[in-house]
Amino acid sequence: MSFVVQRLDKPSSYRDHQYKGNVSQFAKDLQFSTTLYVGNLSFFTTEEQIYELFSKCGEIKRIIMGLDRNKRTPCGFCFVEYYRREDTLDCMRYINGTKLDDRIIRTDLDPGFREGRQFGRGRSGGQVRDEYRQEFDAGRGGWGHIRAKQEAQREANIEENYVAITSIPHGASLEEGSMEG
Amino acid sequence: MEEYNPSPNPVMEGTANEHTEAVDQFGRTVRRTHHRAKPYDRPHRGRDRGFNRFGGGRGGRNAPISAQDRHRLELEELEKRLATLIIKVGDKLSSSVAFNLEALAGVLCKEYHRLSETILRAFQGVVTELPMKTEIYATLVGLINARQPEIAEAIVRMAWDQLVETAKDTHRYKMVKLWLRFFACLTAVGVVLPASCLDLLRCFINAVVRDDPQVQDQGRADTFVYMVMITLPWVGRHLDQYSVTEMDALFQTLQQYVQQPSQQRPPLALLQRFPGLMDLAAVDPNVVVASPLWQRYQTAPLQYVYHMVEELRQRNWEDPIVHRTYEKFSSVLAPLQPMEIMLAALELPPPVDPKQVTFTGTEPDYNASGSVSGARSELETKVEPMQAAFRETYATKQRFSDILPTPWIPLYSEPQLELVLDHFIVYDMLLDTMDIFHVNRKDAASYLTQLQFMVSQVLWQAVTTDESDEVPPPQRPILNIDQLVVTSLFSRLFQLPSPPHKTMYYSALTVELCKFSHDRFFPLLSAAISDLFATMPTQTLWSQIGNGASTDETANSTRGTLQRLAVQPDAGVAWDIECIHRFADWFAMYLSNGNYTWDWQAWADTLQRCHPATPALTFVHESLSKCIRLSYMDRIKTTIPEDLQPVVMPDISLNPNFRYDGSHPLPEAIQTFANALLDQLNQKEPIETIQSFLENAYQYDLAGLSFEELAPVATASSQVYGYFPQGFGEVPSDQLINVTVTSDNALTRVVRDVFVQCVLFIGRKSFSHMLNVIERYLPLLKKFGMDADAKHHIVETVNEFWKDNPQFVTIIVDKLLNYRVVSPLSVLTWALNPLRVQFDYPAPFYVWETLRNTIHKLESRIQQIDRRIHSKRSLLTTQDTTEENPAEVSTLENIAQLESTMTSLQLEQKDLLLSLFQNFSSLLATTIKQCIDKGVSLEACQTYLWISGRYREIMRTYHTSVKALSSTLETIVFTEDVHPLITTVFKETLEI
């Protein structure tokens, strides 16, 4: 019924690319879902911090931390499941876009957690976005993976070509006035 | 205003191939790839996989658009543009408003033939969702009326249908108020006859006057009267011009109503956000936060509004709040022929006596399906009393709720900023805006910040004349709208028993306001927070604590150097405890979203001389511990000045308090047993192995221990822990054990303690680890929690294990409740342990949060099942009940099942509430006795302050359930020999 007000509790245009099912199934899942995807977390944010913030909108059923596929460490996202649908929507209205651990977090309605979704899908094991990220982000492991490799390469180059000279090469003389000769 | 362009977007005109030519207002070319396409290259993504149908932008969209499609797209585009134009018109009251309105009226008339539905819907939307611009839209209708009267008529008819429809529903009276305002403005513009408008208003008044005096439906009557009065400012002048005598009569009726003795009711003390503020103001007129108007509104809101309206009438309705855009069009609007409205269709809901148990329309008809199964009807008769009462309150508690604005909090103490009568209308609008936009806090913030452009400048700016430099003194107080926004925000946050939306909304809205206009709101919020903090008591009033006795010595020794000050006149205003709690939660969220920057130095002096357990210090403590939960200890520590850290930093540590880590002096047998068990749990041994291991321990390993060796471990977890060790009045530990151990249960308790502690230790790493390990050993945990004592012991063990990290206690107890390892009753026994009265600060927030969650869990479960029964029943009534339908039979079985669950849940809730209030009553009785024995007044007793505050909180939060149980409570708990202070709260609860 709302005409002027654009509701914030609408799902975003994001689709899970590995979702098995068709469009209408997806829409139906979202309509009754009590699960939220939470993004842009710091790698250091703990489950308890997430619990503290998200429980302000209602009782939480479970939290599934997103993990790096290879390292099994948090990689900046999670799923939060509530018991009730209203709480899920309230979370979209009130918590989406606020700060947790000094970062603005993003929440999105999710069709529901399935085993395997807790792992990052990027080539290096983390989230895809961290693969291509060009900015330095201390809360998410520094440079993006591709950029990190480039940086490492650059460092190596510097090391090789411009490494500080600590010893004087053999052959040169330290004697004073030797240059004059 | 956005320029109106009737020809559709150029993008739409050619085929899709011409896209590249289109340039937007910033000169950027239109993006060709789908908005979801990533800026970086991701090869190997087939476009037919799952949802990625638009991927890559290869083909697919290049097919030429058919003529039909193009027409549809054109229309859609046009609809969108029209809607935006209607929404945006009059957002700023500048000189261009008149021009824009006229242009828009022209467009609407032109497009009405093909977009009538859109236009009507738009009007419906803007009237109900933009309460501050009703007058603008009424003017727009007037301009349309001047061009094409039939369109205006259609709009008025739509508005009337809406009014009639919403007026039937007692839950939607806020909207009826907005429709009434629209009709008032339409009358002022000249679209509707003044006589019709007057009739409409009288319709509401007469409904009140003609009612059966036997039926006391105060809520309904107040709502109707309020709606009429709040509508009058928009149309009063025109109604007076129409007929002074009739208006006189109307005012007389209103006056008679508001001067009834029933209107002069002192507000319930139970719902006071600052109890004692009124008395304080009566004694000392210089009290900072006292304001006579605020008081007047609080004691008799309708009288206050009546005076406002009457004063306006005496000023000949010269009110800058009500701006009159239509006056600019008087030459166009004057010759119009106003419409008449048929009032016959308006049906107002009949009065309902709240004391009589009647089923309202939303209730299912129990008789219709009552004769189907014998077992079920038997069930129904068994539970009927509680259920009927419960359902009745559940269905009717929302009647006409919140139509009268909640009293504002006199935040800003400067007299010129007081909320004078005219400003009340703005306050009302602000609250409406906050409620309407709760689904989009960003829009809410944007409208709240823009509001100043929507009311006349006279109101919020001192008028300067060009010639002289002197600013003439304003005729009436200048309204600071931003300040009023902050005031409304806090009024809602502190609304009792509960605000219309989750308190989190108000936190989020505050953050959004700061984002929108940091410069405007940051200083105001800081000032408001400091003002609120300044009113909190910082001193305890113990002037003559105890004359001897051991407790006094204890107090002496532990409080050390703390000075015992005499009664302080600046002790602050008594705050409601729940409001302190909400304020702390809100403040933590505010800090968390503002990088935890706060000028703590400004509060340093106050905090340094705070007595322990006083509201001011506790507020800071609890806010900081919430901040630590949202962030981490070291982060918060860096934000606090060093000299203040020992005073305010809560003592939180992430490390568990594990008894069997080898550092505690324990009988060797127990330590060995614990180590072995820990090993087994670590190796994830199956449950059978663990069980036989435990049984072995009973028979052999631990059997040789004497009672003296067992007893200390068996009782260890039953200590009541003070949450803040620094100076918060620790009591020697041996006085804090409230359990009797016999040789029978000592061993069991020890084994239980070892097992539960080891399980908790294994799952200490995170919430998920904990859940995992609990789930793995759930049957064993359940076995250990067979009876009430055992369950209580488990709760205490959890509390002791995580005593330095209370968040975990709350989470784990919550999960154990879900798994039914512990019962609500056991949480209650723990939270309301009689030994708590020995602490000055008996009620750390986490204990109450745990208790509140426990009660809430049961309540929401009941509501959920109730809703499910309703929906199942509605399925039944739609089908033919005479036929033997297999689907129907299964539904009936389903209902029967749900109802038996309901019965057991309700019995559980009844038990819980009964013992809850019993425990509260005895706790309070002990505290009162303690105070009398020591010769301390109750106001000076921190223990009493905290416990009674929580008691009041729970009473009013669950007032519907309390009412349903009132007779039982009266006979069992609140008997005549209970202290009147305790029963008063109960009696007030019944009046909510």
Side-chain angles (χ1 to χ4, degrees):
Chain A
M1 64 129 258
S2 56
F3 174 76
V4 180
V5 195
Q6 302 299 316
R7 307 176 70 94
L8 289 180
D9 48 17
K10 285 269 155 59
S12 77
S13 61
Y14 174 80
R15 297 282 182 271
D16 174 14
H17 293 293
Q18 290 176 13
Y19 178 78
K20 306 215 167 39
N22 56 22
V23 186
S24 62
Q25 182 72 42
F26 189 84
K28 207 176 159 196
D29 276 356
L30 284 186
Q31 206 182 341
F32 297 103
S33 160
T34 55
T35 306
L36 293 168
Y37 164 88
V38 184
N40 199 30
L41 294 171
S42 150
F43 290 0
F44 307 107
T45 301
T46 62
E47 267 176 64
E48 287 67 38
Q49 284 170 278
I50 297 167
Y51 195 99
E52 175 67 19
L53 179 65
F54 283 83
S55 63
K56 288 187 190 295
C57 278
E59 201 182 323
I60 292 171
K61 197 170 181 181
R62 57 177 176 166
I63 293 175
I64 296 144
M65 292 300 280
L67 299 178
D68 185 296
R69 205 171 57 232
N70 307 324
K71 288 186 258 169
R72 306 280 151 143
T73 51
C75 71
F77 72 99
C78 76
F79 297 96
V80 173
E81 191 176 349
Y82 284 98
Y83 279 101
R84 304 196 310 161
R85 173 78 180 166
E86 297 102 283
D87 299 341
T88 320
L89 294 182
D90 277 345
C91 187
M92 288 293 288
R93 292 166 193 157
Y94 310 149
I95 291 184
N96 190 6
T98 60
K99 276 188 183 173
L100 178 61
D101 239 358
D102 296 306
R103 301 175 67 90
I104 291 187
I105 55 164
R106 180 177 88 88
T107 68
D108 199 357
L109 288 171
D110 191 271
F113 174 74
R114 259 163 233 263
E115 189 52 38
R117 288 191 66 197
Q118 71 268 47
F119 297 118
R121 290 169 180 173
R123 201 163 296 171
S124 313
Q127 283 195 285
V128 177
R129 53 167 287 199
D130 285 322
E131 208 66 33
Y132 302 95
R133 179 161 45 77
Q134 287 296 315
E135 304 82 38
F136 187 85
D137 187 344
R140 292 179 74 96
W143 296 109
H145 291 296
I146 289 176
R147 180 76 192 265
K149 274 183 204 141
Q150 290 166 356
E151 292 289 319
Q153 186 66 45
R154 206 166 58 88
E155 294 269 303
N157 283 346
I158 291 172
E159 184 82 13
E160 205 173 296
N161 299 331
Y162 303 99
V163 75
I165 296 165
T166 47
S167 61
I168 295 160
H170 293 292
S173 163
L174 266 178
E175 273 169 41
E176 223 175 304
S178 63
M179 292 293 280
E180 289 162 17
Chain B
M1 186 171 93
E2 210 182 324
E3 202 181 312
Y4 173 68
N5 177 11
S7 77
N9 197 320
V11 178
M12 296 299 162
E13 278 189 330
T15 57
N17 289 330
E18 287 171 24
H19 272 187
T20 37
E21 264 73 62
V23 168
D24 74 355
Q25 52 174 325
F26 304 107
R28 299 173 303 192
T29 48
V30 171
R31 192 172 166 181
R32 292 194 66 188
T33 48
H34 189 261
H35 71 279
R36 264 194 268 123
K38 298 282 190 283
Y40 42 81
D41 188 31
R42 289 205 290 166
H44 319 301
R45 285 224 158 262
R47 60 189 179 86
D48 46 5
R49 260 212 272 155
F51 287 98
N52 205 12
R53 289 183 307 145
F54 309 118
R58 282 164 287 171
R61 309 192 89 196
N62 288 336
I65 299 174
S66 72
Q68 233 179 356
D69 275 354
R70 188 159 4 134
H71 181 67
R72 191 175 46 83
L73 284 173
E74 265 176 34
L75 267 188
E76 271 175 21
E77 183 73 8
L78 196 60
E79 274 176 21
K80 262 189 220 153
R81 291 178 68 83
L82 268 187
T84 325
L85 288 177
I86 296 178
I87 291 171
K88 291 229 164 124
V89 73
D91 267 359
K92 280 190 184 178
L93 284 183
S94 56
S95 50
S96 61
V97 171
F99 172 77
N100 289 340
L101 274 174
E102 204 140 19
L104 184 58
V107 171
L108 291 179
C109 288
K110 202 175 126 205
E111 301 292 351
Y112 187 78
H113 68 280
R114 53 173 178 167
L115 290 174
S116 59
E117 211 172 293
T118 315
I119 292 174
L120 288 181
R121 237 177 57 80
F123 269 99
Q124 184 195 334
V126 290
V127 171
T128 50
E129 291 174 46
L130 296 174
M132 51 293 198
K133 291 203 295 182
T134 316
E135 190 268 345
I136 295 276
Y137 294 115
T139 311
L140 187 58
V141 178
L143 291 173
I144 294 175
N145 196 22
R147 286 156 205 255
Q148 291 188 332
E150 70 278 3
I151 300 177
E153 208 187 311
I155 296 173
V156 173
R157 204 179 315 119
M158 178 277 301
W160 179 251
D161 290 346
Q162 286 294 324
L163 174 64
V164 171
E165 203 49 45
T166 38
K168 281 180 195 161
D169 189 350
T170 53
H171 303 254
R172 292 165 73 194
Y173 261 68
K174 281 193 152 177
M175 253 195 230
V176 178
K177 178 177 83 183
L178 298 179
W179 284 117
L180 270 184
R181 187 179 299 167
F182 187 54
F183 274 97
C185 293
L186 283 177
T187 313
V189 173
V191 179
V192 170
L193 267 182
S196 293
C197 184
L198 199 58
D199 280 346
L200 179 58
L201 295 180
R202 271 195 302 228
C203 188
F204 284 92
I205 294 294
N206 289 346
V208 177
V209 176
R210 286 192 201 129
D211 272 345
D212 182 1
Q214 298 297 314
V215 186
Q216 293 281 321
D217 194 348
Q218 191 81 42
R220 174 176 170 273
D222 283 359
T223 302
F224 288 177
V225 171
Y226 174 72
M227 284 197 317
V228 171
M229 291 197 295
I230 203 77
T231 309
L232 277 172
W234 270 270
V235 70
R237 190 191 287 173
H238 303 82
L239 294 185
D240 263 337
Q241 279 164 8
Y242 164 69
S243 163
V244 177
T245 43
E246 280 187 49
M247 278 293 269
D248 281 343
L250 183 74
F251 267 84
Q252 210 174 356
T253 325
L254 287 175
Q255 193 180 16
Q256 270 170 12
Y257 182 82
V258 299
Q259 284 180 350
Q260 279 170 11
S262 63
Q263 286 297 322
Q264 269 290 0
R265 47 179 189 267
L268 285 178
L270 192 57
L271 299 182
Q272 293 289 305
R273 293 167 286 195
F274 305 105
L277 182 58
M278 310 268 284
D279 312 337
L280 219 62
V283 178
D284 180 6
N286 295 324
V287 170
V288 210
V289 288
S291 102
L293 284 178
W294 167 75
Q295 262 185 56
R296 243 166 80 188
Y297 182 71
Q298 211 179 22
T299 38
L302 285 179
Q303 271 180 22
Y304 173 94
V305 182
Y306 176 77
H307 284 300
M308 167 184 88
V309 183
E310 203 187 28
E311 203 186 288
L312 276 181
R313 193 179 184 216
Q314 278 160 10
R315 294 208 306 249
N316 193 25
W317 306 99
E318 283 299 340
D319 181 7
I321 299 258
V322 182
H323 55 82
R324 301 169 202 273
T325 322
Y326 53 84
E327 281 176 351
K328 292 185 182 144
F329 302 103
S330 44
S331 57
V332 188
L333 298 172
L336 294 178
Q337 185 59 45
M339 297 173 213
E340 204 184 331
I341 298 171
M342 290 295 141
L343 287 173
L346 186 64
E347 266 178 60
L348 299 177
V352 173
D353 196 332
K355 288 192 183 81
Q356 273 170 9
V357 179
T358 44
F359 290 108
T360 57
T362 52
E363 289 301 313
D365 187 357
Y366 289 100
N367 296 330
S369 55
S371 59
V372 188
S373 93
R376 208 166 55 77
S377 56
E378 193 191 64
L379 199 83
E380 262 181 13
T381 46
K382 209 166 63 194
V383 292
E384 203 55 36
M386 168 84 180
Q387 212 165 358
F390 172 76
R391 287 218 174 122
E392 190 270 331
T393 47
Y394 182 62
T396 53
K397 72 178 175 188
Q398 292 297 327
R399 288 183 97 240
F400 302 114
S401 62
D402 281 334
I403 185 81
L404 272 154
T406 180
W408 62 93
I409 294 176
L411 260 188
Y412 299 96
S413 39
E414 299 94 321
Q416 73 269 25
L417 296 175
E418 211 174 46
L419 200 58
V420 294
L421 298 165
D422 319 13
H423 300 172
F424 178 78
I425 299 182
V426 181
Y427 175 66
D428 187 43
M429 274 186 204
L430 283 174
L431 292 183
D432 280 348
T433 312
M434 275 186 204
D435 289 346
I436 291 168
F437 284 86
H438 86 103
V439 288
N440 189 335
R441 60 179 205 275
K442 292 176 187 179
D443 278 3
S446 133
Y447 275 106
L448 291 178
T449 43
Q450 279 176 40
L451 192 74
Q452 66 171 3
F453 302 114
M454 301 182 196
V455 297
S456 306
Q457 250 182 1
V458 202
L459 210 62
W460 53 274
Q461 261 178 9
V463 188
T464 47
T465 44
D466 294 335
E467 278 81 32
S468 68
D469 291 331
E470 272 177 48
V471 181
Q475 284 180 331
R476 48 182 90 93
I478 300 298
L479 170 66
N480 184 332
I481 295 189
D482 293 347
Q483 232 164 35
L484 195 53
V485 169
V486 176
T487 306
S488 327
L489 197 76
F490 280 111
S491 309
R492 273 285 191 244
L493 178 68
F494 294 147
Q495 186 174 334
L496 297 178
S498 58
H501 305 290
K502 289 192 175 120
T503 46
M504 183 63 199
Y505 171 51
Y506 304 100
S507 301
L509 185 58
T510 320
V511 172
E512 222 55 50
L513 282 173
C514 282
K515 261 193 219 166
F516 250 90
S517 191
H518 191 267
D519 298 347
R520 270 161 67 189
F521 283 96
F522 181 71
L524 282 177
L525 280 165
S526 302
I529 295 166
S530 291
D531 273 9
L532 283 170
F533 177 73
T535 61
M536 283 189 190
T538 57
Q539 315 287 311
T540 40
L541 304 174
W542 7 277
S543 49
Q544 343 114 25
I545 197 166
N547 302 319
S550 60
T551 26
D552 192 30
E553 279 162 33
T554 326
N556 254 331
S557 60
T558 49
R559 276 174 201 122
T561 52
L562 277 166
Q563 298 282 312
R564 286 186 199 168
L565 299 177
V567 181
Q568 291 285 314
D570 66 335
V573 181
W575 270 60
D576 185 84
I577 302 299
E578 190 184 355
C579 287
I580 298 180
H581 196 144
R582 282 189 206 166
F583 190 32
D585 278 352
W586 177 91
F587 190 47
M589 280 305 294
Y590 178 72
L591 290 181
S592 152
N593 277 279
N595 298 333
Y596 299 102
T597 39
W598 184 253
D599 184 11
W600 291 105
Q601 210 61 56
W603 288 3
D605 276 354
T606 320
L607 288 170
Q608 295 281 13
R609 62 187 176 84
C610 263
H611 284 178
T614 47
L617 189 58
T618 311
F619 163 71
V620 173
H621 262 288
E622 295 284 6
S623 303
L624 286 176
S625 65
K626 289 276 153 108
C627 286
I628 293 171
R629 287 189 192 190
L630 285 167
S631 183
Y632 48 98
M633 188 71 167
D634 291 342
R635 170 85 175 84
I636 305 302
K637 222 173 186 170
T638 53
T639 64
I640 311 278
E642 234 164 73
D643 54 328
L644 214 54
Q645 282 179 9
V647 186
V648 298
M649 276 311 273
D651 211 19
I652 289 177
S653 143
L654 293 179
N655 298 325
N657 174 32
F658 187 43
R659 204 193 324 282
Y660 306 104
D661 60 359
S663 65
H664 295 69
L666 287 167
E668 212 183 317
I670 299 183
Q671 184 65 50
T672 336
F673 165 62
N675 288 345
L677 180 65
L678 205 59
D679 276 348
Q680 299 220 354
L681 293 176
N682 261 329
Q683 283 158 17
K684 300 191 179 169
E685 292 286 348
I687 211 158
E688 296 76 26
T689 324
I690 305 280
Q691 190 168 357
S692 63
F693 176 75
L694 291 173
E695 274 161 12
N696 260 341
Y698 272 112
Q699 282 168 8
Y700 309 106
D701 303 353
L702 300 178
L705 289 170
S706 69
F707 177 67
E708 282 70 33
E709 281 174 300
L710 288 173
V713 184
T715 56
S717 61
S718 303
Q719 234 194 64
V720 181
Y721 288 93
Y723 177 35
F724 300 112
Q726 303 121 326
F728 265 70
E730 269 190 26
V731 184
S733 55
D734 55 325
Q735 287 184 20
L736 286 172
I737 291 167
N738 180 34
V739 68
T740 39
V741 195
T742 60
S743 46
D744 293 339
N745 68 6
L747 184 58
T748 325
R749 281 182 75 95
V750 170
V751 177
R752 191 185 295 127
D753 189 81
V754 175
F755 179 71
V756 175
Q757 287 234 352
C758 285
V759 165
L760 292 175
F761 187 73
I762 299 278
R764 73 193 176 281
K765 264 178 87 181
S766 76
F767 163 60
S768 291
H769 285 86
M770 185 64 70
L771 276 191
N772 253 331
V773 68
I774 289 178
E775 265 171 31
R776 196 183 312 144
Y777 298 112
L778 190 57
L780 268 184
L781 279 169
K782 276 191 173 165
K783 212 167 203 168
F784 270 115
M786 285 305 259
D787 55 26
D789 266 350
K791 288 190 166 100
H792 183 203
H793 187 208
I794 293 178
V795 178
E796 284 180 334
T797 313
V798 173
N799 183 48
E800 193 218 1
F801 188 82
W802 285 115
K803 75 181 172 67
D804 299 323
N805 190 2
Q807 188 195 3
F808 264 89
V809 179
T810 317
I811 299 178
I812 295 171
V813 168
D814 187 71
K815 291 301 156 193
L816 291 179
L817 273 170
N818 286 352
Y819 288 122
R820 301 204 157 255
V821 172
V822 301
S823 64
L825 219 52
S826 59
V827 179
L828 168 83
T829 339
W830 162 73
L832 298 181
N833 190 323
L835 291 172
R836 287 196 188 277
V837 297
Q838 301 199 29
F839 289 95
D840 279 341
Y841 184 51
F845 284 10
Y846 86 95
V847 174
W848 300 100
E849 277 162 14
T850 317
L851 182 63
R852 211 161 53 181
N853 287 349
T854 310
I855 308 170
H856 180 75
K857 205 187 282 282
L858 205 53
E859 174 94 8
S860 66
R861 184 113 179 83
I862 288 177
Q863 281 180 11
Q864 202 184 353
I865 292 195
D866 193 50
R867 235 170 285 157
R868 265 165 64 188
I869 295 178
H870 273 217
S871 65
K872 285 262 154 78
R873 275 191 194 281
S874 63
L875 279 181
L876 272 186
T877 43
T878 53
Q879 288 167 10
D880 191 2
T881 38
T882 52
E883 239 176 271
E884 279 292 329
N885 184 334
E888 178 135 321
V889 172
S890 80
T891 318
L892 276 176
E893 277 168 8
N894 220 326
I895 292 178
Q897 230 171 24
L898 284 175
E899 276 182 343
S900 76
T901 320
M902 184 78 158
T903 322
S904 65
L905 280 177
Q906 276 170 341
L907 281 177
E908 198 177 345
Q909 192 193 31
K910 191 178 163 184
D911 283 350
L912 181 69
L913 287 177
L914 275 180
S915 49
L916 179 71
F917 294 124
Q918 230 153 10
N919 282 0
F920 260 124
S921 166
S922 73
L923 266 186
L924 285 168
T926 324
T927 321
I928 293 172
K929 194 172 166 291
Q930 237 176 20
C931 288
I932 294 170
D933 289 351
K934 286 187 199 160
V936 188
S937 76
L938 278 178
E939 295 82 55
C941 176
Q942 296 299 305
T943 318
Y944 178 75
L945 176 87
W946 290 107
I947 298 181
S948 67
R950 295 304 182 168
Y951 168 58
R952 296 152 71 90
E953 172 186 342
I954 287 179
M955 266 283 183
R956 67 178 170 237
T957 312
Y958 297 99
H959 63 100
T960 41
S961 308
V962 170
K963 280 178 200 159
L965 279 174
S966 64
S967 54
T968 324
L969 281 171
E970 227 157 46
T971 47
I972 298 181
V973 185
F974 301 107
T975 46
E976 274 171 14
D977 42 330
V978 171
H979 198 281
L981 276 172
I982 304 170
T983 31
T984 322
V985 177
F986 169 65
K987 280 180 189 146
E988 283 195 1
T989 310
L990 298 182
E991 281 177 42
I992 293 177

